[in-house]
Structures are given as structure tokens and as C-alpha cells.
Amino acid sequence: MIKNLINPFPFFWKKIDKISAKSSSEKIFSTLWAIFFGILISFIFIRSFGYNPLKVYNTMFFKIAFAKNEIRNLLLVTSIFVFASIAIAISFKAGLFNIGVPGQMMISGVIALIIYLNLTSINIYIRLFLGFFLGILTSGVLGFLVGILKSFLRINEVISTILINWIVYYITKFLLTSTSFEIGFKSNSPLTSQSISDAAFLSVFPTRSFSIIILFLGLLFAFLIWIVMQKTTVGLRIKIVGQNKNAATYAGINNKTMTISTMTLSGIISGIAGFIWYIFYKRSFTLANGMPREGFDAILVALLAFNSPLGIIPTSFFYSTLTIGASRLQNHSILLNQETMQIVIGIIIYLSAISVIFINFKPIRWTLNFWFLLRSKRFFDTKTQKLAFLKLEKSNFSNLNLIGIKKIKKEKIETLNYEITNLEKKKNEYLAVFLNEKINVFKLYLNIQKINIKLYFLKKQSLKIKNADNVLLWKKIKLNIKNNFGIDSNFKNKNLHEKLAFFESIAQKKRLANQELNSSGYYDLRNNFNAFKQQFIEQHLQFRALKVKIINDFRTKKNLKSDKIKEKK
């Protein structure tokens, strides 16, 4: 109903519905176009502050993000976004929304830090392994809990994950502020843990080489997840559950099991991201800025990549470059504050997140096709016939008359019908030439659609005049249907046969009433609109088919000419 109100043409909605079936290359190009337009708009925004956008972006990318001393951070942040975004994407594939990634990252990092900072007598690698294992295990348990709540208690995963986020937050705050519970985690700074500062750790892990290894593992993990999602029955099951739970049930897939396992897997992957974030990147924990924003930003990265594990890799790198570059601009004599740069990043990411609107944006193809149409001398050419043939006669009725703002007098019904007849003849003439491609196809198409629209409004006004005397009759019939076709008070006391007979009599009365309404012209306006809509769509599809045919014919002729030239040479 809403679709019909917004746009009465079903082919428009069919195009929107086909977006999900687009190829990967089309999705990639749509994302690139979205990023391009986002950067273009951000150029204008930065320029409004009096700065050179090229200088700002050059500083962000080459002097900050790609600087030698920042490469390590860039690679680590990219790795974190890869893992966190994959966690989001997997849940999206299953029709779930794991907004609990920040909390799962936090709990994993906190547990890993507690283990590392307390078990100082154990080998550093064993401490890291224990912290990693217990951290991702705990985050997986949180995901498992969300899956249980969703599957058995039907609690929406968004609500449960948000609440779990805050539970994790306040547990961590208790560990950092409690004076009665000391586990060797707090530091002298408020809401901040101790930092990892032992020489054995600093000599190995905060290096560019180790960051490259972490990034390589992230890329390998993304590739493995892609294989699982695309080439295995597990991935197929996840996608089927996400697309249609009823179909999954009929296919023999246990929805509850898939929901629990997907949320658990998502939680484990979030835990990996949290481990890298707090152990290798931050090397400490602080609640000063709340939950890790990177967990929320991963949602944007996943959406930007259309939830593709392979697409997440470049989008993670792009977003990491933006965030790192924007964070230190003030150190390079560019006085754009952090809030302003967040707006700039927001513009780019917002355009990128709605990249689906660019899925059919193909300017190069459009330009080539337009050039072919110009050269073909059939689409826009007017030399083969006189332009007078394409001109429509002036109507006896103004636009105000046609749309009903200014009423047409009843005495002019004959003039109205005469004009309708003439327009239909003209339309048939145009269609004959249009389908034979003997004249300016584009101009003919516009005229045919103008006639369709004009005929619709003329017929509408004609039907209103014709059926003006039947309005009271329609009201009477509809009132009769409303008052007399209901269920009476004795209906409950009737047996089954009497109830069936009662409903049959009502159905018969409604059929007779509808026949009476139809014969008196009640449905004429609706039928007129449906006929107009059908003709409009039909002519539009014919126009598109002719356009494609003209382009293909021109290409064929061009190829034949080039082949002949080659043969002569």
C-alpha cells in the first residue's frame, strides 16, 4: 500500500528489489562512487573553514597515517577493524544484529590484561595465550547468552546486547574503582588500569614487523570466513536462516541452534578484536572514554563492505586511515578540531554507508550509450520526418481543468469526448511510427507518454461528469453494505450449517452490491487509473527495448566497418 502511494510504477520497486542480487563488481563500484562523493562533499565542507582540502587530505594520509612512526598503529587498527567488522557481518548474515561487540571487546581485553598483569611469574607467551584464550572464551559466552535469550525467550538481541554492554562496563568500573577488591589491575590514575611496560613485551610486540603479522592473520582469517560463508554448508545455513527463517525450518535447519552458534562465533571474533586492541595497541585499559568506539564503528565498516569478509579488508584500511589521520591534524598546523574532523569523517562514512543508491550509477556506460544514440541518427534524428508531425494540437482544456482544480462544465462533455477520441487516434499514429523506428524515437516516446497522461486526466474528468448523478446511489449502496451485512446478536447460537448459510448469503449480497456499483460506474475511475498505469509501463518498456536495440545495431555496424577497414589493410 505504501509503495503504491509513493510510486505507482512497479518497475521502480522491482529495480530496488534486485539490488541484493547485484554482482560483487557492481557493489564494489557503488562503494567507490559513494566514497568519491563523500570526499567531494567533505572537500566543500573543509573549504568552508578556509583550509585547502587537498592539503588537509595530504596531511591526513601521507604525513600522519602513512608516516613511518604511524604505520604500526595503522596496521594494528586495520586488523582490529577486520576482526570486529567480521563479527558484525556474520551476525548480519544470520539476520541478527550484534551491537554488543564493544562490550565483548571490553571483557576480552580486561580479562587478558588482568591475567597478564597478575601472573608475572609465568612465561610471557603463556600469559598471552591464557589471556587470549580466556578473553575470547568469555566474549563467546556473552554471545552464547545473547543467542539463548533470543532463541528460547525471544528477547531481541539488540536489547540484550546493549544491556550486556552496560553490565560489562560497570563490572569493569567496579574493578577499577573498588577499594575492597584488589586484583592488581588498578593504577594511580582514575578509571585506568596498569599498563604493560615490561621489557620482554616491549621488545617484541610493539613493532612494525609484529603488526604486519597481526594484519596478515586478520587477512587470512577474513579469507577463511569468506570460504566458510561461500563454499560450505555452514555458511549456506547461516545465510538461509538470515534470509528466511521459515524456509530454513522447512529445509531442516534448526533456527535456534544456528542463532546460538552464530552469536557465539560473533562474540569470539569480537573477543579477538578486543584482545588486539587492549593488549597490543593500547597496552592498558581506561574507562575515561567509555566503551571502545571501534566496536560501534565496525558496524559502519561491515555495512560499507556489504557484509563481505573480503570487502571488509579494504574498507577497514580506509576507515583506519581516516581515523588515525584525523586524530593528529592539529599537530601539523591545521587547526581543525577533533569534532570538526569527526563531521568530515561522518560525511564520508554516511555517503559510503548508503552506497546502495549508487548501485546503478554507471556514468561511463551512460556516456558511451548516449554517444551511440547520438551517432545512430535514429534516436534523436528529426530529418526523416517533418517536425509538424510530432507537434501535439492545443487542448481545449487548461491544466487546471484536467487536474480538477477548475471544474469542467457538464455541457462540454461532447468536446471532452471528442478530444479523447482525437488523442487516441494521434497516439495510435505515433505508436505505429514509434515501433517501426522511422522517426525520432525519443521525441515520439515523450509525446506518447504526454498523451497517456493527458488521456488519463481527460477520461477522469469525463467519468466524473458522466457518473455525477450516481454519487448518491453509491453512498446508499455502501451504507447498506455497512449496516446490513454484519453479524447479528444471535450468530453465536446458530449451528455450523446455519453459520455457513449466513456467510453464503452475505457473500451473495456483496456480489450483487458490487455488480450494482460496477454497473453504475463506481469502479470506472479505478479502472481508468489501472489502464493508464499499464499503458505507461508498457510504452516505457518498449522505449527501453528500442533504445537497447538501436545501441546494439550501431555497435554492430561500427564493428563491421572496423573489420572491413582491417581487411583492406
Side-chain angles (χ1 to χ4, degrees), residues 25-59:
S25 60
E26 288 176 311
K27 291 179 180 178
I28 290 169
F29 279 113
S30 71
T31 301
L32 292 176
W33 278 117
I35 292 171
F36 169 76
F37 283 110
I39 292 174
L40 189 65
I41 295 171
S42 69
F43 265 46
I44 299 169
F45 183 78
I46 292 170
R47 188 62 189 169
S48 67
F49 284 88
Y51 290 96
N52 184 350
L54 292 174
K55 182 181 177 182
V56 171
Y57 276 102
N58 179 59
T59 305

Side-chain angles (χ1 to χ4, degrees), residues 33 50 65 184 218 225 244 249 376 481 512:
W33 278 117
I225 293 294
N244 193 322
T249 302
S376 68
I481 292 172
L512 293 172

Side-chain angles (χ1 to χ4, degrees), residues 156-296:
N156 189 283
E157 72 277 5
V158 175
I159 296 172
S160 57
T161 48
I162 289 173
L163 292 176
I164 288 173
N165 279 348
W166 287 109
I167 291 170
V168 170
Y169 176 85
Y170 283 109
I171 288 173
T172 309
K173 188 175 182 180
F174 170 77
L175 295 176
L176 290 173
T177 57
S178 175
T179 55
S180 59
F181 189 76
E182 179 60 50
I183 55 172
F185 181 56
K186 294 185 293 184
S187 69
N188 295 327
S189 302
L191 297 178
T192 305
S193 73
Q194 297 178 30
S195 60
I196 299 175
S197 57
D198 50 307
F201 183 92
L202 297 176
S203 62
V204 177
F205 298 105
T207 61
R208 190 186 305 175
S209 301
F210 182 74
S211 301
I212 293 171
I213 293 171
I214 292 291
L215 180 61
F216 174 76
L217 292 175
L219 302 183
L220 182 63
F221 184 78
F223 182 69
L224 290 174
I225 293 294
W226 178 81
I227 290 175
V228 169
M229 297 302 295
Q230 297 294 330
K231 307 295 182 181
T232 67
T233 55
V234 175
L236 181 62
R237 286 168 182 264
I238 290 173
K239 288 189 284 188
I240 291 174
V241 170
Q243 291 174 4
N244 193 322
K245 291 187 183 295
N246 292 328
T249 302
Y250 282 112
I253 299 170
N254 191 322
N255 286 331
K256 293 180 180 179
T257 303
M258 291 308 301
T259 299
I260 294 168
S261 57
T262 302
M263 290 304 296
T264 304
L265 178 61
S266 180
I268 289 171
I269 300 171
S270 301
I272 297 172
F275 179 81
I276 299 170
W277 177 253
Y278 287 109
I279 297 295
F280 297 128
Y281 185 73
K282 290 290 187 181
R283 299 199 296 276
S284 65
F285 182 86
T286 179
L287 277 178
N289 297 322
M291 283 176 279
R293 197 189 71 185
E294 287 66 24
F296 296 111

Side-chain angles (χ1 to χ4, degrees), residues 422-483:
N422 283 344
L423 277 175
E424 285 179 340
K425 287 181 181 178
K426 194 72 174 176
K427 179 185 170 182
N428 291 332
E429 290 177 18
Y430 282 171
L431 277 172
V433 181
F434 175 70
L435 295 174
N436 291 329
E437 309 166 53
K438 292 180 179 178
I439 200 171
N440 187 338
V441 172
F442 181 70
K443 182 72 175 178
L444 271 173
Y445 168 72
L446 291 181
N447 280 356
I448 289 168
Q449 295 296 32
K450 282 180 184 177
I451 291 174
N452 280 331
I453 295 169
K454 205 165 188 179
L455 278 172
Y456 165 68
F457 284 109
L458 285 170
K459 288 179 180 179
K460 183 179 178 181
Q461 296 304 321
S462 175
L463 290 170
K464 280 186 176 181
I465 295 171
K466 176 185 172 183
N467 297 321
D469 298 333
N470 296 330
V471 174
L472 293 175
L473 176 63
W474 297 342
K475 288 182 179 179
K476 184 180 177 181
I477 295 170
K478 288 165 73 176
L479 188 64
N480 184 38
I481 292 172
K482 183 179 179 181
N483 295 334

